[in-house]
Amino acid sequence: KKAGTRLSLLSTDINPLFVENLRHQQIDAVVGDISKKIPKGPFDIILCLNVTMHLDDISLENSLGNFSKELAPRGVVILA
């Protein structure tokens, strides 16, 4: 992290209860389906954890396309 830069985190989940739990922990979170739309970027890093195994091929393709649209130049997508 460079001096003067701001680090922020935004979580997206399809489950409203999970999002509410994150908000109670002071974490920015929104309810959403990543295969349909993701929050407006640009994002330097998109970290997608424990999600892709639950997506069918079309939803995965749509999600990756959405990531690509909102990723900053030289940004990174991490799938795990």
Side-chain angles (χ1 to χ4, degrees), residues 9-59:
L9 169 70
L10 174 64
S11 179
T12 302
D13 199 277
I14 201 164
N15 184 331
L17 295 175
F18 186 72
V19 168
E20 191 61 33
N21 184 23
L22 290 172
R23 289 177 180 161
H24 285 308
Q25 297 176 55
Q26 308 303 313
I27 296 173
D28 276 340
V30 295
V31 176
D33 180 342
I34 62 171
S35 70
K36 295 186 178 13
K37 183 180 177 185
I38 67 169
K40 185 78 173 137
F43 296 103
D44 295 318
I45 300 171
I46 296 176
L47 181 60
C48 186
L49 299 175
N50 301 319
V51 174
T52 57
M53 76 279 280
H54 300 288
L55 301 177
D56 60 38
D57 291 345
I58 293 172
S59 294

Side-chain angles (χ1 to χ4, degrees), residues 1-6:
K1 180 175 165 183
K2 294 180 183 177
T5 60
R6 183 175 175 267

